[in-house]
Amino acid sequence: MGSFTSPPDLHVFQARVWEVVRGIPPGRVASYGQVASLLPPPPGTDPKAYLAFGPRWVGGAMAACPEDVPWQRVINAKGQISPRAGAEDQRALLEEEGVLFDERLRVDLSQYRWKPDEEWCREHGLVWHPLEPREDPLF
DNA sequence: TCCTTGACTCAGA
DNA sequence: CTCTGAGCCAAGG
């Protein structure tokens, strides 16, 4: 069976992304970059490249996610829904969960950002980030 | 094979 | 606050 030359590492990565997103509870949101930062760089990936493109890979995973993934809870670092076809549905779903948008269609990340606890991260083999009390956009 | 595009993010202006 | 460019990966045409 030697003809399979492309082990779907990217698919493995996407599966881990979906696993993380399933952990976001209703009424909370995470950014693409936050999800990426919870996962270690895929084996063989240049950490620097992952830093730059991880968030976009997460976006790609969300575009292909299965039914049971709460994809609506992943938004961009500005606290906005990334423009594309279907963005209106995403806002409606989040509002049903109690997430409020301001007049500029922005979510207050300091209020709604999902903050996974250390144990949950350990159980899922994720990189845990200590949370800074600052006004840092991420964490 | 070349070129374009992408559910991103951050620093700098 | 807004706008721009860079980062330098992959899939698809």
Side-chain angles (χ1 to χ4, degrees), chain A residues 23-104:
Chain A
I24 308 175
R28 309 297 275 182
V29 298
S31 71
Y32 299 93
Q34 181 187 358
V35 173
S37 73
L38 289 168
L39 291 166
T45 301
D46 174 27
K48 191 176 177 182
Y50 183 67
L51 201 59
F53 281 83
R56 300 174 91 163
W57 294 345
V58 170
M62 298 316 298
C65 74
E67 282 292 325
D68 65 326
V69 176
W71 55 270
Q72 72 273 20
R73 296 173 196 152
V74 183
I75 61 180
N76 65 36
K78 295 179 298 192
Q80 296 175 310
I81 291 169
S82 294
R84 67 185 189 282
E88 297 73 24
D89 298 333
Q90 185 170 7
R91 179 186 172 192
L93 286 169
L94 285 175
E95 288 182 327
E96 284 173 20
E97 299 180 357
V99 176
L100 298 180
F101 288 76
D102 67 16
E103 60 286 341
R104 296 181 1 153

